[in-house]
Each structure stands twice: as structure tokens, then as C-alpha cells.
Coordinates of all heavy atoms in Angstrom, one line a residue:
M1 N -8.9 103.1 15.2 CA -7.8 103.5 14.4 C -8.2 104.8 13.7 O -9.4 104.9 13.3 CB -7.4 102.5 13.4 CG -6.0 102.7 12.8 SD -5.4 101.4 11.8 CE -5.2 100.1 13.0
K2 N -7.3 105.8 13.6 CA -7.6 107.0 12.9 C -7.9 106.8 11.5 O -7.5 105.9 10.8 CB -6.5 108.0 13.1 CG -6.3 108.5 14.5 CD -5.1 109.5 14.5 CE -4.9 110.0 15.9 NZ -3.7 110.9 16.0
K3 N -8.7 107.7 11.0 CA -9.1 107.6 9.6 C -7.9 107.7 8.6 O -7.9 107.0 7.6 CB -10.1 108.8 9.2 CG -10.7 108.7 7.9 CD -11.8 109.7 7.7 CE -12.4 109.6 6.3 NZ -13.5 110.6 6.1
S4 N -7.0 108.6 8.9 CA -5.8 108.7 8.1 C -5.0 107.4 8.1 O -4.5 107.0 7.0 CB -4.9 109.9 8.6 OG -4.5 109.7 9.9
S5 N -4.9 106.8 9.2 CA -4.2 105.5 9.2 C -4.9 104.4 8.4 O -4.3 103.6 7.7 CB -4.0 105.0 10.7 OG -3.3 105.9 11.5
T6 N -6.2 104.4 8.5 CA -7.0 103.4 7.8 C -6.8 103.6 6.3 O -6.7 102.7 5.5 CB -8.5 103.5 8.2 OG1 -8.6 103.3 9.6 CG2 -9.3 102.5 7.5
I7 N -6.9 104.9 5.9 CA -6.7 105.2 4.4 C -5.3 104.8 4.0 O -5.2 104.1 2.9 CB -7.0 106.7 4.2 CG1 -8.4 107.0 4.4 CG2 -6.5 107.1 2.8 CD1 -8.7 108.5 4.4
W8 N -4.3 105.1 4.7 CA -3.0 104.7 4.4 C -2.9 103.1 4.3 O -2.2 102.6 3.3 CB -1.9 105.2 5.3 CG -0.6 104.4 5.1 CD1 0.0 103.5 6.0 CD2 0.2 104.4 3.9 NE1 1.1 103.0 5.4 CE2 1.3 103.5 4.2 CE3 0.2 105.1 2.7 CZ2 2.3 103.3 3.2 CZ3 1.2 104.9 1.8 CH2 2.2 104.0 2.0
L9 N -3.4 102.4 5.2 CA -3.3 101.0 5.2 C -4.0 100.4 4.0 O -3.6 99.4 3.4 CB -3.9 100.4 6.5 CG -3.0 100.7 7.8 CD1 -3.8 100.2 9.0 CD2 -1.7 100.0 7.6
W10 N -5.1 101.0 3.6 CA -5.8 100.5 2.3 C -4.9 100.8 1.1 O -4.8 99.9 0.2 CB -7.2 101.2 2.2 CG -8.2 100.5 2.9 CD1 -8.9 100.8 4.0 CD2 -8.8 99.2 2.5 NE1 -9.8 99.9 4.4 CE2 -9.8 98.9 3.5 CE3 -8.6 98.3 1.4 CZ2 -10.6 97.7 3.4 CZ3 -9.4 97.2 1.4 CH2 -10.3 96.9 2.3
I11 N -4.3 101.9 1.1 CA -3.4 102.2 0.0 C -2.2 101.3 0.0 O -1.8 100.7 -1.1 CB -2.9 103.7 0.1 CG1 -4.0 104.7 -0.2 CG2 -1.7 104.0 -0.9 CD1 -3.7 106.1 0.1
A12 N -1.6 101.0 1.2 CA -0.5 100.1 1.3 C -0.9 98.7 0.9 O -0.1 98.0 0.2 CB 0.0 100.1 2.7
L13 N -2.1 98.3 1.2 CA -2.6 97.0 0.8 C -2.7 96.8 -0.7 O -2.2 95.8 -1.3 CB -4.0 96.7 1.5 CG -4.6 95.3 1.2 CD1 -3.7 94.2 1.7 CD2 -6.0 95.3 1.8
V14 N -3.2 97.8 -1.3 CA -3.3 97.8 -2.8 C -1.9 97.8 -3.4 O -1.7 97.0 -4.4 CB -4.2 99.0 -3.3 CG1 -4.1 99.2 -4.8 CG2 -5.6 98.9 -2.9
L15 N -1.0 98.6 -2.9 CA 0.4 98.6 -3.4 C 1.0 97.3 -3.3 O 1.7 96.8 -4.2 CB 1.2 99.7 -2.7 CG 0.9 101.2 -3.1 CD1 1.7 102.1 -2.1 CD2 1.2 101.5 -4.5
C16 N 0.9 96.7 -2.1 CA 1.5 95.4 -1.9 C 0.9 94.3 -2.8 O 1.6 93.4 -3.3 CB 1.4 95.0 -0.4 SG 2.4 96.0 0.7
L17 N -0.4 94.3 -3.0 CA -1.0 93.4 -3.8 C -0.6 93.5 -5.3 O -0.3 92.5 -6.0 CB -2.6 93.5 -3.8 CG -3.2 93.0 -2.5 CD1 -4.7 93.4 -2.4 CD2 -3.1 91.5 -2.3
C18 N -0.4 94.7 -5.7 CA 0.1 95.0 -7.1 C 1.5 94.5 -7.3 O 1.9 93.9 -8.3 CB 0.0 96.5 -7.5 SG -1.7 97.1 -7.6
T19 N 2.4 94.8 -6.3 CA 3.8 94.4 -6.3 C 3.8 92.8 -6.3 O 4.6 92.3 -7.0 CB 4.5 95.0 -5.2 OG1 4.4 96.4 -5.2 CG2 6.0 94.6 -5.2
T20 N 3.0 92.2 -5.5 CA 3.0 90.8 -5.4 C 2.6 90.2 -6.7 O 3.1 89.2 -7.2 CB 2.1 90.3 -4.3 OG1 2.5 90.9 -3.1 CG2 2.1 88.8 -4.1
G21 N 1.6 90.8 -7.4 CA 1.1 90.3 -8.7 C 2.2 90.4 -9.7 O 2.4 89.5 -10.6
L22 N 3.0 91.5 -9.7 CA 4.1 91.7 -10.7 C 5.2 90.6 -10.4 O 5.7 90.0 -11.3 CB 4.7 93.0 -10.5 CG 3.9 94.2 -11.1 CD1 4.5 95.5 -10.7 CD2 3.7 94.1 -12.6
N23 N 5.5 90.4 -9.1 CA 6.5 89.3 -8.8 C 6.0 88.0 -9.2 O 6.8 87.1 -9.7 CB 6.9 89.4 -7.3 CG 7.8 90.5 -7.0 OD1 8.7 90.9 -7.8 ND2 7.7 91.0 -5.8
L24 N 4.7 87.7 -9.0 CA 4.2 86.4 -9.4 C 4.2 86.2 -10.9 O 4.6 85.2 -11.4 CB 2.7 86.4 -8.9 CG 2.0 85.0 -9.1 CD1 2.7 83.9 -8.4 CD2 0.5 85.2 -8.7
A25 N 3.9 87.3 -11.7 CA 4.0 87.2 -13.1 C 5.4 87.0 -13.7 O 5.5 86.3 -14.7 CB 3.4 88.5 -13.7
E26 N 6.4 87.4 -12.9 CA 7.8 87.2 -13.3 C 8.4 85.9 -12.7 O 9.6 85.7 -12.9 CB 8.6 88.4 -13.0 CG 8.2 89.6 -13.8 CD 9.2 90.8 -13.7 OE1 10.3 90.6 -13.2 OE2 8.8 91.9 -14.2
G27 N 7.6 85.2 -12.0 CA 8.1 83.9 -11.4 C 9.0 84.1 -10.3 O 9.8 83.2 -10.0
R28 N 9.0 85.1 -9.5 CA 9.8 85.3 -8.4 C 9.1 84.8 -7.1 O 8.4 85.5 -6.4 CB 10.1 86.8 -8.2 CG 10.9 87.4 -9.3 CD 11.2 88.9 -9.1 NE 11.7 89.5 -10.2 CZ 11.7 90.8 -10.5 NH1 11.1 91.6 -9.6 NH2 12.2 91.3 -11.6
W29 N 9.3 83.5 -6.9 CA 8.5 82.8 -5.9 C 8.8 83.2 -4.4 O 7.9 83.3 -3.6 CB 8.6 81.3 -6.1 CG 8.1 80.9 -7.4 CD1 8.9 80.5 -8.5 CD2 6.8 81.0 -8.0 NE1 8.1 80.3 -9.6 CE2 6.8 80.6 -9.3 CE3 5.6 81.4 -7.4 CZ2 5.7 80.6 -10.1 CZ3 4.5 81.4 -8.2 CH2 4.5 81.0 -9.5
L30 N 10.1 83.4 -4.1 CA 10.5 83.7 -2.7 C 9.9 85.1 -2.4 O 9.3 85.3 -1.3 CB 12.0 83.6 -2.5 CG 12.5 83.8 -1.1 CD1 11.8 82.8 -0.2 CD2 14.0 83.6 -1.0
P31 N 10.1 86.1 -3.2 CA 9.5 87.4 -2.9 C 8.0 87.4 -2.8 O 7.4 88.1 -2.0 CB 9.9 88.3 -4.0 CG 11.2 87.7 -4.5 CD 11.0 86.3 -4.4
V32 N 7.3 86.5 -3.6 CA 5.9 86.3 -3.5 C 5.5 85.7 -2.1 O 4.6 86.2 -1.5 CB 5.3 85.4 -4.6 CG1 3.9 85.0 -4.4 CG2 5.5 86.2 -6.0
A33 N 6.2 84.7 -1.7 CA 5.9 84.1 -0.4 C 6.1 85.1 0.8 O 5.3 85.2 1.7 CB 6.8 82.9 -0.1
I34 N 7.2 85.9 0.7 CA 7.4 86.9 1.7 C 6.3 88.0 1.7 O 5.8 88.4 2.7 CB 8.8 87.6 1.6 CG1 9.9 86.5 1.9 CG2 9.0 88.8 2.4 CD1 11.3 87.0 1.5
A35 N 5.9 88.4 0.5 CA 4.9 89.4 0.3 C 3.5 88.9 0.8 O 2.8 89.7 1.4 CB 4.7 89.8 -1.1
I36 N 3.2 87.6 0.7 CA 2.0 87.1 1.2 C 1.9 87.2 2.7 O 0.9 87.5 3.3 CB 1.7 85.7 0.6 CG1 1.4 85.7 -0.9 CG2 0.6 84.9 1.4 CD1 1.4 84.4 -1.5
L37 N 3.0 86.8 3.3 CA 3.1 87.0 4.8 C 3.0 88.4 5.2 O 2.3 88.7 6.2 CB 4.4 86.4 5.3 CG 4.6 84.9 5.3 CD1 6.0 84.5 5.7 CD2 3.6 84.3 6.2
S38 N 3.6 89.3 4.5 CA 3.5 90.7 4.8 C 2.1 91.2 4.6 O 1.6 92.0 5.4 CB 4.5 91.5 3.9 OG 4.4 92.9 4.2
I39 N 1.4 90.8 3.6 CA 0.0 91.2 3.3 C -0.9 90.7 4.5 O -1.8 91.4 4.9 CB -0.5 90.7 1.9 CG1 0.2 91.5 0.9 CG2 -2.0 90.8 1.8 CD1 0.1 91.0 -0.5
A40 N -0.6 89.5 4.9 CA -1.4 88.9 6.1 C -1.2 89.8 7.3 O -2.1 90.1 8.0 CB -0.9 87.5 6.3
G41 N 0.1 90.2 7.5 CA 0.3 91.1 8.7 C -0.4 92.5 8.5 O -1.0 93.0 9.4
L42 N -0.4 93.0 7.3 CA -1.1 94.2 7.0 C -2.6 94.1 7.2 O -3.2 95.0 7.8 CB -0.8 94.6 5.5 CG -1.3 96.0 5.0 CD1 -0.8 97.1 5.8 CD2 -0.9 96.1 3.6
C43 N -3.1 93.0 6.8 CA -4.6 92.7 7.0 C -4.9 92.6 8.5 O -5.9 93.1 9.0 CB -5.0 91.5 6.3 SG -5.1 91.7 4.5
A44 N -4.0 92.0 9.3 CA -4.2 91.8 10.7 C -4.2 93.2 11.4 O -5.0 93.5 12.3 CB -3.1 90.9 11.3
L45 N -3.3 94.1 10.9 CA -3.3 95.4 11.4 C -4.5 96.2 11.0 O -5.2 96.9 11.8 CB -2.0 96.1 11.0 CG -1.8 97.6 11.4 CD1 -1.7 97.6 13.0 CD2 -0.5 98.1 10.8
L46 N -4.9 96.1 9.7 CA -6.0 96.9 9.2 C -7.3 96.5 9.7 O -8.2 97.3 10.2 CB -6.0 96.9 7.7 CG -7.1 97.6 6.9 CD1 -7.2 99.0 7.2 CD2 -7.0 97.3 5.4
F47 N -7.6 95.2 9.7 CA -8.9 94.7 10.0 C -9.1 94.3 11.5 O -10.2 94.3 12.0 CB -9.3 93.5 9.1 CG -9.3 93.8 7.6 CD1 -8.4 93.2 6.8 CD2 -10.1 94.8 7.1 CE1 -8.4 93.5 5.4 CE2 -10.1 95.2 5.8 CZ -9.2 94.5 4.9
A48 N -8.1 93.9 12.1 CA -8.2 93.4 13.5 C -7.5 94.4 14.5 O -7.6 94.2 15.7 CB -7.7 92.0 13.7
G49 N -6.8 95.3 14.0 CA -6.0 96.3 14.9 C -5.0 95.6 15.7 O -4.8 95.9 16.9
R50 N -4.3 94.6 15.2 CA -3.3 93.8 15.9 C -1.9 94.4 15.7 O -1.4 94.6 14.6 CB -3.3 92.4 15.4 CG -4.6 91.6 15.6 CD -4.6 91.1 17.0 NE -5.8 90.3 17.2 CZ -6.2 90.0 18.4 NH1 -5.5 90.4 19.5 NH2 -7.3 89.3 18.6
R51 N -1.2 94.6 16.8 CA 0.2 95.0 16.8 C 1.1 93.9 16.1 O 2.0 94.3 15.4 CB 0.8 95.1 18.2 CG 0.2 96.3 18.9 CD 0.9 96.3 20.3 NE 0.2 97.3 21.1 CZ 0.3 97.4 22.4 NH1 1.2 96.6 23.0 NH2 -0.3 98.3 23.1
L52 N 0.7 92.7 16.3 CA 1.5 91.6 15.7 C 1.5 91.8 14.1 O 2.6 91.4 13.5 CB 0.9 90.2 16.1 CG 1.6 89.0 15.5 CD1 3.1 89.0 16.0 CD2 0.9 87.8 15.9
G53 N 0.5 92.3 13.6 CA 0.5 92.5 12.1 C 1.6 93.4 11.7 O 2.3 93.2 10.7
Y54 N 1.8 94.5 12.4 CA 2.9 95.4 12.1 C 4.3 94.8 12.3 O 5.2 94.9 11.5 CB 2.8 96.7 13.0 CG 3.9 97.7 12.6 CD1 3.9 98.3 11.4 CD2 4.9 97.9 13.5 CE1 4.9 99.2 11.1 CE2 5.9 98.8 13.2 CZ 5.9 99.5 12.0 OH 6.9 100.4 11.7
I55 N 4.4 94.0 13.3 CA 5.7 93.3 13.6 C 6.0 92.3 12.5 O 7.1 92.2 12.0 CB 5.6 92.6 15.0 CG1 5.6 93.7 16.1 CG2 6.8 91.7 15.2 CD1 5.2 93.1 17.4
V56 N 5.0 91.6 12.0 CA 5.1 90.7 10.9 C 5.5 91.4 9.6 O 6.4 91.0 8.9 CB 3.8 89.8 10.6 CG1 3.9 89.1 9.3 CG2 3.6 88.9 11.8
M57 N 4.9 92.6 9.4 CA 5.3 93.4 8.2 C 6.8 93.8 8.3 O 7.5 93.7 7.3 CB 4.5 94.7 8.2 CG 3.1 94.5 7.7 SD 2.1 96.1 7.8 CE 3.2 97.2 7.0
C58 N 7.2 94.2 9.5 CA 8.6 94.6 9.6 C 9.6 93.4 9.4 O 10.6 93.6 8.8 CB 8.8 95.2 11.0 SG 8.0 96.8 11.2
L59 N 9.3 92.3 10.0 CA 10.1 91.1 9.7 C 10.1 90.7 8.3 O 11.2 90.3 7.7 CB 9.6 89.9 10.6 CG 9.8 90.1 12.1 CD1 9.1 88.9 12.8 CD2 11.2 90.1 12.5
C60 N 9.0 90.8 7.6 CA 9.0 90.5 6.2 C 9.8 91.5 5.4 O 10.4 91.2 4.4 CB 7.5 90.5 5.7 SG 6.6 89.0 6.2
A61 N 9.8 92.8 5.8 CA 10.6 93.8 5.2 C 12.1 93.5 5.2 O 12.8 93.7 4.3 CB 10.4 95.2 5.8
V62 N 12.5 92.9 6.4 CA 13.9 92.5 6.5 C 14.2 91.4 5.5 O 15.2 91.4 4.8 CB 14.2 92.1 8.0 CG1 15.6 91.4 8.1 CG2 14.1 93.3 8.9
G63 N 13.3 90.4 5.5 CA 13.5 89.3 4.5 C 13.4 89.8 3.1 O 14.2 89.3 2.2
S64 N 12.6 90.7 2.8 CA 12.4 91.2 1.4 C 13.7 92.0 1.0 O 14.2 91.9 -0.1 CB 11.2 92.1 1.3 OG 11.1 92.7 0.1
F65 N 14.3 92.7 2.0 CA 15.5 93.4 1.7 C 16.6 92.4 1.4 O 17.4 92.6 0.4 CB 15.9 94.3 2.9 CG 17.3 94.9 2.9 CD1 17.5 95.9 2.0 CD2 18.3 94.3 3.6 CE1 18.8 96.5 1.9 CE2 19.6 94.9 3.5 CZ 19.8 95.9 2.7
A66 N 16.8 91.4 2.2 CA 17.8 90.4 2.0 C 17.7 89.7 0.6 O 18.7 89.6 -0.1 CB 17.8 89.4 3.1
V67 N 16.5 89.3 0.3 CA 16.2 88.6 -1.0 C 16.5 89.6 -2.2 O 17.1 89.2 -3.2 CB 14.8 88.1 -1.1 CG1 14.4 87.6 -2.4 CG2 14.7 86.9 -0.1
G68 N 16.0 90.8 -2.0 CA 16.2 91.8 -3.1 C 17.7 92.1 -3.4 O 18.1 92.2 -4.5
V69 N 18.5 92.2 -2.3 CA 19.9 92.4 -2.5 C 20.5 91.2 -3.2 O 21.3 91.3 -4.1 CB 20.6 92.8 -1.2 CG1 22.1 92.7 -1.3 CG2 20.2 94.1 -0.6
A70 N 20.2 90.0 -2.6 CA 20.8 88.8 -3.2 C 20.5 88.6 -4.7 O 21.3 88.2 -5.4 CB 20.3 87.6 -2.4
Q71 N 19.2 88.9 -5.1 CA 18.8 88.7 -6.4 C 19.3 89.8 -7.4 O 19.4 89.5 -8.6 CB 17.3 88.7 -6.5 CG 16.7 87.4 -5.9 CD 15.2 87.3 -6.1 OE1 14.5 88.3 -6.3 NE2 14.6 86.2 -5.9
N72 N 19.7 91.0 -6.9 CA 20.0 92.1 -7.8 C 21.4 92.5 -7.7 O 21.8 93.4 -8.5 CB 19.1 93.3 -7.5 CG 17.6 93.0 -7.9 OD1 17.4 92.4 -8.9 ND2 16.7 93.3 -7.0
V73 N 22.2 92.0 -6.8 CA 23.6 92.5 -6.7 C 24.4 92.2 -7.9 O 25.3 93.1 -8.3 CB 24.3 91.9 -5.4 CG1 24.6 90.4 -5.6 CG2 25.5 92.7 -5.0
G74 N 24.2 91.1 -8.6 CA 25.0 90.9 -9.8 C 24.6 91.8 -11.0 O 25.5 92.2 -11.7
A75 N 23.3 92.1 -11.1 CA 22.9 92.9 -12.2 C 23.1 94.4 -12.0 O 23.3 95.1 -12.9 CB 21.4 92.6 -12.5
L76 N 22.9 94.8 -10.8 CA 22.9 96.3 -10.5 C 24.2 96.8 -9.8 O 24.4 98.0 -9.7 CB 21.7 96.6 -9.6 CG 20.4 96.3 -10.2 CD1 19.3 96.6 -9.1 CD2 20.1 97.1 -11.4
G77 N 25.0 95.9 -9.2 CA 26.1 96.3 -8.4 C 25.6 96.3 -6.9 O 24.4 96.5 -6.6
A78 N 26.5 96.2 -6.0 CA 26.2 96.1 -4.6 C 25.5 97.3 -4.0 O 24.5 97.2 -3.4 CB 27.5 95.8 -3.8
V79 N 26.1 98.5 -4.3 CA 25.5 99.7 -3.7 C 24.1 100.0 -4.2 O 23.2 100.2 -3.4 CB 26.4 100.9 -3.9 CG1 25.8 102.2 -3.5 CG2 27.8 100.7 -3.2
T80 N 23.9 99.9 -5.5 CA 22.6 100.1 -6.1 C 21.6 99.1 -5.6 O 20.4 99.4 -5.3 CB 22.7 100.1 -7.6 OG1 23.7 101.0 -8.0 CG2 21.4 100.4 -8.3
A81 N 22.0 97.8 -5.5 CA 21.1 96.8 -5.1 C 20.7 97.0 -3.6 O 19.5 96.9 -3.3 CB 21.8 95.4 -5.2
V82 N 21.6 97.4 -2.8 CA 21.3 97.7 -1.4 C 20.3 98.9 -1.3 O 19.3 98.9 -0.6 CB 22.5 98.0 -0.6 CG1 22.2 98.6 0.8 CG2 23.3 96.7 -0.4
V83 N 20.6 100.0 -2.0 CA 19.8 101.2 -1.9 C 18.4 100.9 -2.4 O 17.4 101.2 -1.8 CB 20.4 102.4 -2.7 CG1 19.4 103.5 -2.8 CG2 21.7 102.8 -2.0
M84 N 18.3 100.3 -3.6 CA 16.9 100.0 -4.2 C 16.1 99.0 -3.3 O 14.9 99.2 -3.1 CB 17.1 99.4 -5.6 CG 17.6 100.5 -6.6 SD 17.7 99.9 -8.2 CE 16.0 99.7 -8.7
S85 N 16.8 98.0 -2.8 CA 16.1 97.0 -1.9 C 15.7 97.7 -0.6 O 14.6 97.4 -0.1 CB 17.0 95.8 -1.6 OG 17.2 95.1 -2.8
L86 N 16.5 98.6 -0.1 CA 16.1 99.2 1.1 C 14.9 100.1 0.9 O 13.9 100.1 1.7 CB 17.3 100.1 1.6 CG 17.1 100.8 3.0 CD1 16.9 99.8 4.1 CD2 18.3 101.7 3.3
I87 N 14.9 100.9 -0.2 CA 13.7 101.7 -0.5 C 12.5 100.8 -0.7 O 11.4 101.1 -0.1 CB 14.0 102.6 -1.7 CG1 15.0 103.6 -1.4 CG2 12.7 103.3 -2.2 CD1 15.5 104.4 -2.6
G88 N 12.6 99.8 -1.5 CA 11.5 98.9 -1.8 C 10.9 98.2 -0.6 O 9.7 98.0 -0.5
S89 N 11.8 97.7 0.3 CA 11.3 96.9 1.4 C 10.9 97.7 2.6 O 10.0 97.3 3.4 CB 12.3 95.9 1.8 OG 13.5 96.5 2.2
A90 N 11.4 98.9 2.7 CA 11.2 99.7 4.0 C 10.1 100.7 3.8 O 9.6 101.2 4.8 CB 12.5 100.4 4.4
L91 N 9.7 101.0 2.6 CA 8.7 102.1 2.4 C 7.4 101.9 3.2 O 7.0 102.8 4.0 CB 8.4 102.3 0.9 CG 7.5 103.5 0.6 CD1 8.1 104.8 0.9 CD2 7.1 103.4 -0.9
V92 N 6.8 100.8 2.9 CA 5.4 100.6 3.6 C 5.6 100.5 5.1 O 4.8 101.1 5.8 CB 4.7 99.4 2.9 CG1 3.5 99.0 3.7 CG2 4.3 99.7 1.5
P93 N 6.5 99.7 5.6 CA 6.6 99.6 7.1 C 6.9 100.9 7.8 O 6.4 101.3 8.8 CB 7.7 98.6 7.4 CG 7.7 97.7 6.1 CD 7.4 98.7 5.0
V94 N 7.8 101.7 7.2 CA 8.2 103.0 7.8 C 7.0 104.0 7.8 O 6.7 104.6 8.8 CB 9.4 103.6 7.1 CG1 9.7 105.0 7.5 CG2 10.7 102.8 7.4
V95 N 6.4 104.1 6.6 CA 5.2 105.0 6.6 C 4.1 104.6 7.5 O 3.5 105.3 8.2 CB 4.7 105.2 5.1 CG1 3.5 106.0 5.0 CG2 5.8 105.8 4.3
T96 N 3.9 103.2 7.5 CA 2.9 102.7 8.4 C 3.2 103.0 9.9 O 2.3 103.4 10.6 CB 2.7 101.2 8.2 OG1 2.3 101.0 6.8 CG2 1.7 100.6 9.1
G97 N 4.5 102.8 10.2 CA 4.9 103.1 11.6 C 4.7 104.6 11.9 O 4.2 104.9 13.1
L98 N 4.9 105.5 11.0 CA 4.6 106.9 11.3 C 3.2 107.2 11.5 O 2.8 108.0 12.3 CB 5.2 107.7 10.1 CG 6.7 107.8 10.0 CD1 7.1 108.5 8.7 CD2 7.4 108.4 11.2
F99 N 2.3 106.5 10.7 CA 0.9 106.6 10.9 C 0.3 106.1 12.2 O -0.6 106.6 12.8 CB 0.1 106.0 9.7 CG -0.1 107.0 8.6 CD1 0.7 106.9 7.5 CD2 -1.1 107.9 8.6 CE1 0.5 107.7 6.4 CE2 -1.3 108.8 7.5 CZ -0.5 108.7 6.4
I100 N 0.8 104.9 12.6 CA 0.3 104.2 13.8 C 1.0 104.5 15.1 O 0.5 104.0 16.2 CB 0.1 102.7 13.6 CG1 1.5 102.1 13.5 CG2 -0.7 102.4 12.4 CD1 1.5 100.5 13.5
R101 N 2.1 105.2 15.1 CA 2.9 105.4 16.3 C 2.1 106.0 17.5 O 2.2 105.7 18.6 CB 4.2 106.1 16.1 CG 4.0 107.6 15.7 CD 5.3 108.2 15.5 NE 5.0 109.6 15.0 CZ 5.9 110.4 14.7 NH1 7.2 110.1 14.9 NH2 5.6 111.6 14.2
S102 N 1.2 107.0 17.2 CA 0.4 107.6 18.2 C -0.7 106.7 18.7 O -1.3 107.0 19.7 CB -0.1 108.9 17.7 OG -1.1 108.7 16.7
Q103 N -1.0 105.6 17.9 CA -2.1 104.8 18.3 C -1.6 103.4 18.8 O -2.4 102.5 19.0 CB -3.0 104.5 17.0 CG -3.5 105.8 16.4 CD -3.8 105.6 15.0 OE1 -4.7 104.8 14.7 NE2 -3.2 106.4 14.1
W104 N -0.3 103.3 19.0 CA 0.2 101.9 19.3 C -0.4 101.3 20.6 O -0.7 100.1 20.6 CB 1.8 102.1 19.5 CG 2.4 100.8 19.7 CD1 2.9 100.3 20.9 CD2 2.7 99.8 18.7 NE1 3.5 99.1 20.7 CE2 3.4 98.7 19.4 CE3 2.4 99.7 17.4 CZ2 3.8 97.6 18.7 CZ3 2.8 98.6 16.7 CH2 3.5 97.5 17.4
R105 N -0.7 102.1 21.6 CA -1.3 101.6 22.8 C -2.7 101.2 22.6 O -3.2 100.3 23.4 CB -1.2 102.6 23.9 CG 0.2 102.9 24.4 CD 0.3 103.8 25.6 NE 1.6 103.9 26.0 CZ 2.2 105.1 26.4 NH1 1.4 106.2 26.4 NH2 3.4 105.2 26.7
E106 N -3.4 101.7 21.6 CA -4.8 101.3 21.4 C -4.9 100.0 20.6 O -5.9 99.3 20.7 CB -5.5 102.4 20.5 CG -5.5 103.7 21.2 CD -6.0 104.8 20.2 OE1 -6.5 104.5 19.1 OE2 -5.8 106.0 20.5
L107 N -3.8 99.6 20.0 CA -3.8 98.3 19.2 C -3.8 97.1 20.2 O -3.2 97.2 21.3 CB -2.6 98.3 18.2 CG -2.6 99.4 17.2 CD1 -1.3 99.3 16.4 CD2 -3.8 99.3 16.3
K108 N -4.3 96.0 19.7 CA -4.4 94.8 20.6 C -3.1 94.1 20.5 O -2.4 94.0 19.6 CB -5.5 93.9 20.1 CG -6.8 94.6 20.1 CD -7.9 93.7 19.5 CE -9.1 94.5 19.1 NZ -10.0 93.8 18.3

């Protein structure tokens, strides 16, 4: 894996761990469970070079988006909840995809 991809994956791992810690502190158990699965996928991609890790991250992003919208639609309104959840759940998988797309065939 390229050095730039590895650096990004480490940054993403730290960001995801911090976000998970905040959700845990606020007692948001479903987002924590989804984040733990996503972190496992991120680790599989970072440490083992597994494509499946990226796929798991993307599936978790879909789940995170759905939970984020459902939890925030009442407080923020539908449009704002959708936009914020989309940004929050898609940022790491999209940026990761941009970093690893040229290396996809090299992954196991």
C-alpha cells in the first residue's frame, strides 16, 4: 500500500476512534456498535490489506447514515439531518476510496 494511503488510514482510524468515544460518552449505543464494525473494517484494510475491510466500512457508512437521519430528523429537520448524516457517514469511506482506488488490484 502506498505511503499516502497508509497515512490517511491512520488519520481515519484516529478520527473514527475519537468519534466512537464521543458517541460512547453520550450513550449512543447503536452508532457505537456500527462504528466498532467500521473500525474493524478499517483495521482489516490498514493492517492486512483486505478489500473486505473497505466493503465493511462502506456498509457501515450506510447504516450510520440511516441511524443519523433517524436520530436527528426531529431535532434538526429532515433536510438538515440528511445532509449532516451524509457528510458524517460518507467522509471517511469516500476519501479512503479515493486513496486506494489505484491500489484496488493489489489488495487481497
Side-chain angles (χ1 to χ4, degrees):
M1 193 171 300
K2 291 182 181 176
K3 187 175 183 177
S4 59
S5 298
T6 303
I7 292 169
W8 163 252
L9 290 172
W10 274 105
I11 292 169
L13 182 61
V14 170
L15 288 173
C16 290
L17 288 170
C18 290
T19 303
T20 304
L22 289 173
N23 281 330
L24 186 62
E26 294 193 12
R28 297 180 189 158
W29 301 109
L30 188 54
V32 168
I34 293 170
I36 289 171
L37 287 174
S38 182
I39 290 168
L42 185 59
C43 288
L45 180 61
L46 176 61
F47 300 120
R50 297 278 185 195
R51 291 180 190 169
L52 182 61
Y54 181 69
I55 294 167
V56 167
M57 284 176 51
C58 291
L59 292 173
C60 289
V62 171
S64 177
F65 171 75
V67 169
V69 169
Q71 288 182 344
N72 295 312
V73 74
L76 301 174
V79 174
T80 305
V82 167
V83 170
M84 290 181 69
S85 293
L86 184 62
I87 292 169
S89 62
L91 181 68
V92 170
V94 168
V95 174
T96 300
L98 292 173
F99 271 102
I100 67 169
R101 70 180 171 178
S102 65
Q103 305 158 57
W104 186 254
R105 291 189 179 136
E106 299 169 17
L107 299 173
K108 302 173 196 168

